[in-house]
Structures are given as structure tokens and as C-alpha cells.
Amino acid sequence: AMAATASPVLADQISFVSKFNAPGDVGGTTFARGIDGNGNIVGDYTDASGHIVAFERFSNGTFSAPITEPNATGGSTSANEINSSGTIVGDFLQLIGGTSTFHGYFYNGGTFTQFDVGGPVSTGILGINNQGDFVGNFGTTAQPNQSYMDIGGQLTKFTVFGAPTSDAEGINGADQIVGVFTDAGGATHGYLRQPDGSLAAIDFPGGILTEAFGINGLGVISGE
């Protein structure tokens, strides 16, 4: 983890409390992908049928029923993040006539709302803040993923340093965005996008690959 305005958080300062697998998980495939301020966690796992199923683990340690988007005909629903209002965002796979397409979704109170950037492209929602601003990626087989953001209901697509591919992974309450881009040489870097549109690459010292996945209200960035 690192921050633009604070000292890095060291691994030996982190306390590991517990580990868990979601009910229905087969083979230890549970991925915890997002957490809200109350300790509710979302993620996904692979069930006995080989389908990817989303879940919410509540702060008291109990789990929601499996979360599957009704239109997920491809047997895949992933949950990527949750905000303070309990809105979960993610993506699901749809197969129509032999064509597979990913769509973004919002899920709250048992109701799904599909979201697509538009056109014949796949869409994923990867991060959401407490105001409801969200970020993600879109692309096609012919056009590798690029980033987008939706701030106050205004959708904006953007590239990162002109890179052939990028993903917007996380957004905080100040609308600072972090993500990942791959440069023309094939190297993977993290990035930070400020609200004014300025960009900074993030490379861990001595690392050969860096990815930035989340940023909190203090500007602390997490990744790998």
C-alpha cells in the first residue's frame, strides 16, 4: 500500500484476523474483492457446477444467499466492490447466439440494474464510492480494455498515457481514481488519476509489475 501524501503502510503493521470460504465454494476459490466502512465484504467463488457466483459476507460473519444476475446465461457473476449504501457493483457474462459479452451491474436490496458503456462492447464495473460515482473498463476482442469513469452521472472514457490497454479499478470520495495500464512494451504499471485529469504512474521500487486496485479517503493506495 502507498499514499500520495502519507507514508507507506508496511506489511508488519497489518493484522490478519481470519480467513474464510464462502458457502458453496468448491476447491478454495473464494475471492474477497471489496469491503465497505462497516466491514461487509463482497466477492465471488466457483460453485459445484463450475459457475462463478457472487456473495456478500456481513460484518457479523454470516453470508448472503448466492448472488447471480438473472441474465448471466454464461454462468458467471462477479462482485467487485460495495459502498456505504450497500450497493454492490460487478459484472456478469451473457451468451447469446454463441457470442459472449460482459455487462456491468448494480445490486441493492435484491434488485439488479444492468449497466453498459454502449455499443457492441463488454463492460465491467470495478469500483464505486459512497457518492455513487463508479469506474471500470470496456472493450471488445478487436479493442483491448480501456478505462471509464461515471462522475455525477457523466460518463467519460479515458486512456492512460496513450497505453493500448487500461482498467480503472478504484475510486475514493474525492474522485481520485487508481488502476492498471499496460504500455506498448507489454509492461504493467499502476496509475493514479486526479480529479483534474492529471496522471501519475505507480511502480513499486524494484518490481517488474505493479497494479493499483483501491484508494481510500486518505489517499492510501493498495495493490500488488
Side-chain angles (χ1 to χ4, degrees), residues 13 15 24 30 57 74 85 96 120 154:
Q13 296 173 316
S15 297
T30 297
R57 182 185 187 272
S85 69
I96 298 178
Q154 181 175 342

Side-chain angles (χ1 to χ4, degrees), residues 48-100:
S49 299
H51 295 159
I52 297 174
V53 180
F55 70 87
E56 180 175 1
R57 182 185 187 272
F58 304 110
S59 57
N60 64 6
T62 63
F63 287 82
S64 69
I67 300 171
T68 302
E69 216 285 342
N71 295 314
T73 53
S76 173
T77 302
S78 298
N80 296 321
E81 189 59 274
I82 181 172
N83 69 5
S84 60
S85 69
T87 299
I88 298 170
V89 295
D91 51 73
F92 68 94
L93 177 63
Q94 188 175 55
L95 297 175
I96 298 178
T99 300
S100 61

Side-chain angles (χ1 to χ4, degrees), residues 131-224:
Q131 295 98 269
D133 302 325
F134 59 96
V135 296
N137 58 25
F138 68 97
T140 67
T141 301
Q143 170 60 59
N145 283 352
Q146 291 294 347
S147 300
Y148 74 85
M149 59 184 179
D150 192 298
I151 309 294
Q154 181 175 342
L155 177 68
T156 303
K157 305 172 184 177
F158 63 93
T159 60
V160 179
F161 301 117
T165 181
S166 70
D167 301 305
E169 298 276 351
I171 181 170
N172 67 8
D175 290 329
Q176 294 176 300
I177 296 168
V178 293
V180 180
F181 72 95
T182 302
D183 65 26
T188 301
H189 315 265
Y191 74 83
L192 169 65
R193 185 185 192 277
Q194 299 288 2
D196 65 3
S198 60
L199 291 161
I202 300 172
D203 291 292
F204 194 87
I208 60 173
L209 180 152
T210 303
E211 299 178 322
F213 295 137
I215 180 168
N216 69 9
L218 299 176
V220 179
I221 298 167
S222 62
E224 64 181 23

